[in-house]
Amino acid sequence: VQGVSGTGTFLLAPVLEPKGDDQHRVLCSVSAVPGQWILEAGILTTGAVYRWLRNLLQNGLSAGDVGGVGKASTASVDNPYTLEDPYVLLDELAAVAPVGAGGVLVLPHLAGSAAPYWDSKAQGVIVGLQLGTTVAHLARGVLEGVALEVGKNLQVMASLMSQKLTEIRVSGGLTRSRLFNQIQADVYGLPVQPGRLEETSALGAAVLAAVAVGIYPDLSTAVTGMTGVLKSQRTWPRPAEQLQYQKLLRHHDAVYRALADAGVYRGKET
């Protein structure tokens, strides 16, 4: 399965025959590769929610506010953030918070929900705020909320596939975060492997074009020549954390369903 996480997140899995979902939670489309199909699940706002939090806090967010965390941060291939980038400070704050974000649970439906709920009226929700809640809890809660939303879709896709999932390939701006990739691995219970390039949608189009104009003789050769992964950044799930997230995933789904069933998102329409 390939997961692309930027403004939103889109999960793609190649299958050899159409796979219909009786509950209409995920899509199945014809692949650009002859004889294949694609299972798809889209989450509208993932990285956009982290950006929303950054924008709320950016004026007051500095390394000093984090107690000096991040002073040694420098930009590099392995760490593309710079100290001036508030995302690195948010990551470092989120890393201080425990698994479960101190009880903060975030539903990232800031522009409605696509897969698996397909609810245009759904809204963003933060549950579990207390007087002791900090920015660190909120930052981790957003990253966990995004991964939990993706995790629901991944479970649906896995249930429709004949082959067993062994790895999640990830790309997109949000996956620059090592912490987010670790959270993903723990939520999914699978190794998470970042690709060498973030813009994999454009890369896929380039691969098809390269074959079409004869630069490569076939797709397999083009993929081998034009793509790759960052093996040093492969992240493995941790058993104890995985168990905690399995419980949180059920709670995450229950919060959405309780609000939807009560008509909260429809307001006066009910």
Side-chain angles (χ1 to χ4, degrees):
V1 174
Q2 173 75 40
V4 183
S5 293
T7 299
T9 293
F10 298 88
L11 292 174
L12 304 168
V15 290
L16 297 179
E17 59 184 9
K19 297 288 184 179
D21 176 25
D22 293 340
Q23 299 180 50
H24 308 293
R25 294 162 295 180
V26 299
L27 308 176
C28 187
S29 306
V30 176
S31 172
V33 179
Q36 290 190 16
W37 298 72
I38 295 289
L39 280 175
E40 302 179 69
I43 299 94
L44 299 177
T45 48
T46 55
V49 184
Y50 211 37
R51 182 174 65 231
W52 167 80
L53 182 63
R54 179 207 67 180
N55 291 343
L56 283 181
L57 302 173
Q58 188 165 4
N59 289 339
L61 193 62
S62 68
D65 294 331
V66 195
V69 174
K71 288 184 177 179
S73 298
T74 56
S76 67
V77 173
D78 287 335
N79 178 16
Y81 294 122
T82 64
L83 183 59
E84 290 73 28
D85 190 333
Y87 284 122
V88 73
L89 299 175
L90 279 177
D91 279 1
E92 289 170 340
L93 278 166
V96 173
V99 171
V104 172
L105 199 63
V106 177
L107 273 62
H109 303 153
L110 270 64
S113 169
Y117 302 120
W118 300 103
D119 185 352
S120 63
K121 300 291 186 179
Q123 299 173 0
V125 175
I126 302 176
V127 176
L129 296 176
Q130 305 175 61
L131 289 176
T133 299
T134 67
V135 174
H137 294 125
L138 289 174
R140 187 177 189 101
V142 167
L143 294 178
E144 291 183 341
V146 165
L148 291 167
E149 192 76 3
V150 175
K152 298 173 196 175
N153 286 287
L154 194 59
Q155 286 185 344
V156 174
M157 294 173 73
S159 71
L160 297 172
M161 298 172 66
S162 55
Q163 64 268 45
K164 183 179 179 181
L165 296 181
T166 58
E167 178 183 84
I168 307 298
R169 296 280 180 96
V170 298
S171 61
L174 189 56
T175 61
R176 295 178 192 174
S177 169
R178 293 288 192 91
L179 174 62
F180 178 60
N181 290 339
Q182 182 64 68
I183 291 171
Q184 288 194 96
D186 293 338
V187 170
Y188 312 151
L190 292 166
V192 166
Q193 175 63 72
R196 285 196 293 113
L197 298 176
E198 288 182 11
E199 301 296 337
T200 48
S201 297
L203 177 60
V207 167
L208 293 172
V211 174
V213 300
I215 296 175
Y216 290 96
D218 52 54
L219 283 173
S220 177
T221 306
V223 168
T224 300
M226 297 176 67
T227 67
V229 298
L230 296 173
K231 292 183 179 180
S232 64
Q233 293 189 21
R234 184 179 176 89
T235 305
W236 297 85
R238 301 168 296 181
E241 286 78 1
Q242 183 182 347
L243 288 174
Q244 290 178 270
Y245 282 126
Q246 286 176 355
K247 181 178 180 181
L248 285 173
L249 196 149
R250 293 191 294 271
H251 289 174
H252 202 264
D253 181 60
V255 170
Y256 166 78
R257 295 191 183 281
L259 293 172
D261 292 347
V264 170
Y265 295 133
R266 268 67 185 170
K268 295 181 180 179
E269 294 181 19
T270 60

PDB file of all heavy atoms in Angstrom, residues 53-66 86 89-90 93 135:
ATOM      1  N   LEU A  53      -2.912  23.949  13.047  1.00  0.00           N
ATOM      2  CA  LEU A  53      -2.380  24.125  14.392  1.00  0.00           C
ATOM      3  C   LEU A  53      -1.144  25.020  14.370  1.00  0.00           C
ATOM      4  O   LEU A  53      -0.996  25.907  15.227  1.00  0.00           O
ATOM      5  CB  LEU A  53      -2.034  22.761  14.993  1.00  0.00           C
ATOM      6  CG  LEU A  53      -1.503  22.776  16.431  1.00  0.00           C
ATOM      7  CD1 LEU A  53      -2.555  23.324  17.390  1.00  0.00           C
ATOM      8  CD2 LEU A  53      -1.068  21.373  16.857  1.00  0.00           C
ATOM      9  N   ARG A  54      -0.268  24.809  13.388  1.00  0.00           N
ATOM     10  CA  ARG A  54       0.913  25.668  13.267  1.00  0.00           C
ATOM     11  C   ARG A  54       0.520  27.124  13.124  1.00  0.00           C
ATOM     12  O   ARG A  54       1.087  28.010  13.769  1.00  0.00           O
ATOM     13  CB  ARG A  54       1.738  25.244  12.047  1.00  0.00           C
ATOM     14  CG  ARG A  54       2.986  26.080  11.809  1.00  0.00           C
ATOM     15  CD  ARG A  54       3.404  26.100  10.349  1.00  0.00           C
ATOM     16  NE  ARG A  54       2.419  26.796   9.523  1.00  0.00           N
ATOM     17  CZ  ARG A  54       2.553  26.950   8.214  1.00  0.00           C
ATOM     18  NH1 ARG A  54       3.589  26.432   7.579  1.00  0.00           N
ATOM     19  NH2 ARG A  54       1.622  27.607   7.518  1.00  0.00           N
ATOM     20  N   ASN A  55      -0.477  27.395  12.270  1.00  0.00           N
ATOM     21  CA  ASN A  55      -0.887  28.771  12.036  1.00  0.00           C
ATOM     22  C   ASN A  55      -1.470  29.410  13.292  1.00  0.00           C
ATOM     23  O   ASN A  55      -1.274  30.603  13.551  1.00  0.00           O
ATOM     24  CB  ASN A  55      -1.907  28.834  10.898  1.00  0.00           C
ATOM     25  CG  ASN A  55      -1.290  28.508   9.557  1.00  0.00           C
ATOM     26  OD1 ASN A  55      -0.066  28.532   9.396  1.00  0.00           O
ATOM     27  ND2 ASN A  55      -2.119  28.199   8.570  1.00  0.00           N
ATOM     28  N   LEU A  56      -2.188  28.625  14.079  1.00  0.00           N
ATOM     29  CA  LEU A  56      -2.744  29.147  15.328  1.00  0.00           C
ATOM     30  C   LEU A  56      -1.649  29.548  16.307  1.00  0.00           C
ATOM     31  O   LEU A  56      -1.778  30.532  17.044  1.00  0.00           O
ATOM     32  CB  LEU A  56      -3.641  28.097  15.994  1.00  0.00           C
ATOM     33  CG  LEU A  56      -5.030  27.869  15.425  1.00  0.00           C
ATOM     34  CD1 LEU A  56      -5.741  26.804  16.250  1.00  0.00           C
ATOM     35  CD2 LEU A  56      -5.852  29.159  15.415  1.00  0.00           C
ATOM     36  N   LEU A  57      -0.563  28.788  16.317  1.00  0.00           N
ATOM     37  CA  LEU A  57       0.471  28.946  17.339  1.00  0.00           C
ATOM     38  C   LEU A  57       1.704  29.689  16.848  1.00  0.00           C
ATOM     39  O   LEU A  57       2.556  30.056  17.669  1.00  0.00           O
ATOM     40  CB  LEU A  57       0.909  27.570  17.839  1.00  0.00           C
ATOM     41  CG  LEU A  57      -0.186  26.681  18.442  1.00  0.00           C
ATOM     42  CD1 LEU A  57       0.364  25.292  18.725  1.00  0.00           C
ATOM     43  CD2 LEU A  57      -0.753  27.301  19.713  1.00  0.00           C
ATOM     44  N   GLN A  58       1.813  29.920  15.549  1.00  0.00           N
ATOM     45  CA  GLN A  58       3.091  30.337  14.984  1.00  0.00           C
ATOM     46  C   GLN A  58       3.634  31.622  15.597  1.00  0.00           C
ATOM     47  O   GLN A  58       4.834  31.749  15.835  1.00  0.00           O
ATOM     48  CB  GLN A  58       2.980  30.513  13.470  1.00  0.00           C
ATOM     49  CG  GLN A  58       4.330  30.750  12.797  1.00  0.00           C
ATOM     50  CD  GLN A  58       4.245  30.558  11.299  1.00  0.00           C
ATOM     51  OE1 GLN A  58       3.177  30.325  10.743  1.00  0.00           O
ATOM     52  NE2 GLN A  58       5.369  30.649  10.630  1.00  0.00           N
ATOM     53  N   ASN A  59       2.781  32.596  15.875  1.00  0.00           N
ATOM     54  CA  ASN A  59       3.272  33.869  16.404  1.00  0.00           C
ATOM     55  C   ASN A  59       3.972  33.717  17.748  1.00  0.00           C
ATOM     56  O   ASN A  59       4.904  34.454  18.064  1.00  0.00           O
ATOM     57  CB  ASN A  59       2.119  34.874  16.542  1.00  0.00           C
ATOM     58  CG  ASN A  59       1.614  35.354  15.201  1.00  0.00           C
ATOM     59  OD1 ASN A  59       2.323  35.266  14.204  1.00  0.00           O
ATOM     60  ND2 ASN A  59       0.381  35.837  15.165  1.00  0.00           N
ATOM     61  N   GLY A  60       3.531  32.722  18.532  1.00  0.00           N
ATOM     62  CA  GLY A  60       4.135  32.565  19.852  1.00  0.00           C
ATOM     63  C   GLY A  60       5.039  31.358  19.985  1.00  0.00           C
ATOM     64  O   GLY A  60       5.495  31.036  21.073  1.00  0.00           O
ATOM     65  N   LEU A  61       5.302  30.663  18.871  1.00  0.00           N
ATOM     66  CA  LEU A  61       6.060  29.424  18.934  1.00  0.00           C
ATOM     67  C   LEU A  61       7.526  29.696  18.628  1.00  0.00           C
ATOM     68  O   LEU A  61       7.881  30.204  17.580  1.00  0.00           O
ATOM     69  CB  LEU A  61       5.512  28.424  17.908  1.00  0.00           C
ATOM     70  CG  LEU A  61       5.982  26.974  18.025  1.00  0.00           C
ATOM     71  CD1 LEU A  61       5.547  26.388  19.358  1.00  0.00           C
ATOM     72  CD2 LEU A  61       5.391  26.145  16.889  1.00  0.00           C
ATOM     73  N   SER A  62       8.372  29.387  19.580  1.00  0.00           N
ATOM     74  CA  SER A  62       9.809  29.557  19.390  1.00  0.00           C
ATOM     75  C   SER A  62      10.535  28.493  20.184  1.00  0.00           C
ATOM     76  O   SER A  62       9.964  27.837  21.049  1.00  0.00           O
ATOM     77  CB  SER A  62      10.259  30.943  19.865  1.00  0.00           C
ATOM     78  OG  SER A  62      10.132  31.043  21.279  1.00  0.00           O
ATOM     79  N   ALA A  63      11.817  28.324  19.877  1.00  0.00           N
ATOM     80  CA  ALA A  63      12.602  27.309  20.575  1.00  0.00           C
ATOM     81  C   ALA A  63      12.628  27.572  22.071  1.00  0.00           C
ATOM     82  O   ALA A  63      12.627  26.659  22.882  1.00  0.00           O
ATOM     83  CB  ALA A  63      14.021  27.262  20.015  1.00  0.00           C
ATOM     84  N   GLY A  64      12.644  28.842  22.451  1.00  0.00           N
ATOM     85  CA  GLY A  64      12.653  29.173  23.875  1.00  0.00           C
ATOM     86  C   GLY A  64      11.415  28.704  24.585  1.00  0.00           C
ATOM     87  O   GLY A  64      11.453  28.312  25.753  1.00  0.00           O
ATOM     88  N   ASP A  65      10.281  28.719  23.869  1.00  0.00           N
ATOM     89  CA  ASP A  65       9.032  28.271  24.473  1.00  0.00           C
ATOM     90  C   ASP A  65       9.012  26.771  24.701  1.00  0.00           C
ATOM     91  O   ASP A  65       8.185  26.254  25.427  1.00  0.00           O
ATOM     92  CB  ASP A  65       7.845  28.644  23.570  1.00  0.00           C
ATOM     93  CG  ASP A  65       7.654  30.153  23.479  1.00  0.00           C
ATOM     94  OD1 ASP A  65       8.013  30.843  24.444  1.00  0.00           O
ATOM     95  OD2 ASP A  65       7.170  30.623  22.439  1.00  0.00           O
ATOM     96  N   VAL A  66       9.921  26.063  24.033  1.00  0.00           N
ATOM     97  CA  VAL A  66       9.982  24.615  24.179  1.00  0.00           C
ATOM     98  C   VAL A  66      11.071  24.233  25.173  1.00  0.00           C
ATOM     99  O   VAL A  66      11.493  23.086  25.253  1.00  0.00           O
ATOM    100  CB  VAL A  66      10.240  23.958  22.801  1.00  0.00           C
ATOM    101  CG1 VAL A  66       9.942  22.475  22.861  1.00  0.00           C
ATOM    102  CG2 VAL A  66       9.371  24.582  21.725  1.00  0.00           C
ATOM    103  N   PRO A  86       8.545  26.214  12.174  1.00  0.00           N
ATOM    104  CA  PRO A  86       7.774  25.867  13.378  1.00  0.00           C
ATOM    105  C   PRO A  86       7.337  24.412  13.415  1.00  0.00           C
ATOM    106  O   PRO A  86       7.003  23.902  14.486  1.00  0.00           O
ATOM    107  CB  PRO A  86       6.564  26.811  13.309  1.00  0.00           C
ATOM    108  CG  PRO A  86       6.461  27.222  11.886  1.00  0.00           C
ATOM    109  CD  PRO A  86       7.870  27.244  11.364  1.00  0.00           C
ATOM    110  N   LEU A  89       9.500  22.447  15.721  1.00  0.00           N
ATOM    111  CA  LEU A  89       9.193  22.715  17.125  1.00  0.00           C
ATOM    112  C   LEU A  89       7.920  21.991  17.549  1.00  0.00           C
ATOM    113  O   LEU A  89       7.839  21.452  18.664  1.00  0.00           O
ATOM    114  CB  LEU A  89       9.051  24.219  17.343  1.00  0.00           C
ATOM    115  CG  LEU A  89      10.305  25.033  17.016  1.00  0.00           C
ATOM    116  CD1 LEU A  89      10.027  26.528  17.139  1.00  0.00           C
ATOM    117  CD2 LEU A  89      11.454  24.641  17.914  1.00  0.00           C
ATOM    118  N   LEU A  90       6.925  21.959  16.671  1.00  0.00           N
ATOM    119  CA  LEU A  90       5.725  21.194  16.975  1.00  0.00           C
ATOM    120  C   LEU A  90       6.047  19.711  17.143  1.00  0.00           C
ATOM    121  O   LEU A  90       5.540  19.051  18.049  1.00  0.00           O
ATOM    122  CB  LEU A  90       4.685  21.369  15.860  1.00  0.00           C
ATOM    123  CG  LEU A  90       3.833  22.625  15.885  1.00  0.00           C
ATOM    124  CD1 LEU A  90       2.922  22.669  14.664  1.00  0.00           C
ATOM    125  CD2 LEU A  90       2.997  22.710  17.159  1.00  0.00           C
ATOM    126  N   LEU A  93       7.712  19.207  20.460  1.00  0.00           N
ATOM    127  CA  LEU A  93       6.700  19.279  21.515  1.00  0.00           C
ATOM    128  C   LEU A  93       5.895  17.982  21.565  1.00  0.00           C
ATOM    129  O   LEU A  93       5.687  17.400  22.638  1.00  0.00           O
ATOM    130  CB  LEU A  93       5.760  20.458  21.260  1.00  0.00           C
ATOM    131  CG  LEU A  93       6.238  21.837  21.701  1.00  0.00           C
ATOM    132  CD1 LEU A  93       5.364  22.916  21.073  1.00  0.00           C
ATOM    133  CD2 LEU A  93       6.192  21.947  23.219  1.00  0.00           C
ATOM    134  N   VAL A 135       0.180  22.456  24.752  1.00  0.00           N
ATOM    135  CA  VAL A 135       0.398  22.473  23.308  1.00  0.00           C
ATOM    136  C   VAL A 135       1.012  21.151  22.853  1.00  0.00           C
ATOM    137  O   VAL A 135       0.718  20.651  21.763  1.00  0.00           O
ATOM    138  CB  VAL A 135       1.302  23.653  22.902  1.00  0.00           C
ATOM    139  CG1 VAL A 135       1.651  23.588  21.420  1.00  0.00           C
ATOM    140  CG2 VAL A 135       0.626  24.971  23.226  1.00  0.00           C
TER     141      VAL A 135
END
